[in-house]
Amino acid sequence: QVQLVESGGGLVQAGGSLRLSCSASRSVFSINFMGWYRQAAGKQRELVAGIRSGGTTNYAESVKERFTISRDNAKNTVYLNMNNLKPEDTAVYSCYAALDLRGYWGQGTQVTVSS
C-alpha cells in the first residue's frame, strides 16, 4: 500500500515553469510505476509522464521536450518539472502509483496557465 500527496500546483503565465512533487509513503524505487496524469475540464484524463522502477520514462507527445519526470528516493518523491507552459496545459494533475497489481492516486493539484 502507498499514500501519495501532491504539491506545487498554481497559477503561472504562459512560458513559465512549475515543479510538481508527489511524496510517497514508501520508497519510490520499490513502486512498479509512477506517473503524472492530468484532466482538463470537459476532457478525459491522460497520462502526461511516467517512470518505471528501472528508470525508464515515457511522455505524452504534447509535453515532450517541455516536461521532465524524475525521482528522489532519499525523499520518497517523484517530480514533474514543467517548462514553457501553455494554456492548454491547464488541468488538475494527479500522481499515480502502481504497486502489486493495485493502483493508487493522490488528491490532485490544480495547474492553471494564463495566456
Side-chain angles (χ1 to χ4, degrees):
Q1 193 171 5
V2 60
Q3 286 78 47
L4 305 170
V5 178
E6 301 104 331
S7 61
L11 174 64
V12 64
Q13 287 187 333
S17 299
L18 282 175
R19 187 176 78 163
L20 304 183
S21 300
C22 174
S23 179
S25 59
R26 61 184 291 162
S27 167
V28 294
F29 278 83
S30 71
I31 298 173
N32 305 111
F33 173 85
M34 293 193 71
W36 285 96
Y37 286 75
R38 68 185 181 187
Q39 187 167 22
K43 295 188 177 181
Q44 289 190 326
R45 184 164 54 195
E46 63 172 344
L47 175 64
V48 175
I51 185 166
R52 297 196 176 278
S53 56
T56 304
T57 60
N58 61 287
Y59 297 91
E61 283 295 326
S62 61
V63 306
K64 282 183 178 179
E65 310 300 329
R66 299 190 298 123
F67 290 11
T68 303
I69 189 170
S70 62
R71 60 188 179 184
D72 184 338
N73 191 51
K75 297 182 179 180
N76 289 350
T77 300
V78 170
Y79 301 99
L80 184 68
N81 283 286
M82 305 184 293
N83 297 316
N84 189 22
L85 283 160
K86 303 175 181 181
E88 51 263 42
D89 294 318
T90 295
V92 175
Y93 285 70
S94 299
C95 182
Y96 172 82
L99 176 67
D100 298 335
L101 301 181
R102 293 188 63 179
Y104 301 86
W105 291 94
Q107 81 283 1
T109 185
Q110 177 70 44
V111 171
T112 302
V113 184
S114 63
S115 57

